[in-house]
Amino acid sequence: MRSQKYGRIINISSVGGIITTPFGGWYQSSKHAVESLSDALRMDTLGFGIDVVVVEPSNIESGFESVAINKLKDSTSEIYKEKAESFAKGLSKSYEGVSKPEVIAKVIKKAVTARRPKPRYVAGKMSRTILILKALLTDRQFDRVAINTFFK
């Protein structure tokens, strides 16, 4: 890419790379890392004609819900079991009416074909709302929103 003075790297992160929810540390920390790596890479490649883009989907119809819920139930110690069960119900509910994978495919296509791509593309149901809340609320306020969303 450097030698041809052109290239585009598209990294798939998640809204979970910006926000954190209860019991999400194992997943969200990996997405935080993708965000940071992408930001550094974008700066490292500045001047070489290489674009680094991050796509941040929210919940997408993909089968990930069952993976997350099963991992949660399998890995939770006794002291968290009741909270984990409650969270699993809230997580399952948060997947109702989520976006189809085609929504993300369109965003990736846009990032790939844009003449001058944005550093980040957000897509999926409630993704912008979630990120606006994260920007406007204090950490403690956002924590309460996240907790109240998943523990009903």
Side-chain angles (χ1 to χ4, degrees):
M1 287 185 200
R2 283 192 308 260
S3 65
Q4 67 187 16
K5 297 192 185 324
Y6 176 81
R8 189 155 301 165
I9 298 167
I10 311 291
N11 288 330
I12 308 301
S13 179
S14 167
V15 169
I18 307 296
I19 62 117
T20 307
T21 61
F23 295 103
W26 64 275
Y27 174 77
Q28 291 154 345
S29 62
S30 70
K31 295 306 180 177
H32 283 286
V34 170
E35 296 281 332
S36 180
L37 175 65
S38 299
D39 289 343
L41 191 56
R42 188 177 52 258
M43 290 184 269
D44 293 347
T45 59
L46 190 64
F48 291 110
I50 300 168
D51 296 309
V52 179
V53 177
V54 181
V55 176
E56 300 167 333
S58 58
N59 291 354
I60 301 298
E61 189 178 286
S62 67
F64 178 72
E65 169 198 0
S66 62
V67 171
I69 289 172
N70 289 336
K71 287 286 182 200
L72 175 64
K73 289 178 179 179
D74 291 345
S75 65
T76 305
S77 68
E78 243 350 273
I79 59 172
Y80 288 105
K81 198 145 198 73
E82 190 176 318
K83 279 183 121 176
E85 290 290 334
S86 176
F87 178 78
K89 287 177 189 166
L91 181 60
S92 185
K93 201 166 187 57
S94 77
Y95 271 85
E96 292 174 2
V98 296
S99 301
K100 301 278 186 198
E102 293 82 5
V103 169
I104 303 309
K106 285 179 185 175
V107 170
I108 293 170
K109 181 179 179 184
K110 186 176 183 179
V112 168
T113 59
R115 194 174 69 71
R116 189 161 184 250
K118 299 186 286 186
R120 283 181 167 68
Y121 289 84
V122 177
K125 182 181 175 189
M126 295 294 292
S127 58
R128 290 193 196 296
T129 303
I130 293 165
L131 295 180
I132 289 169
L133 282 173
K134 177 66 176 164
L136 294 176
L137 300 176
T138 67
D139 287 342
R140 285 195 172 92
Q141 289 170 329
F142 189 84
D143 289 353
R144 281 195 297 276
V145 169
I147 289 166
N148 290 332
T149 297
F150 292 104
F151 295 108
K152 302 222 176 198

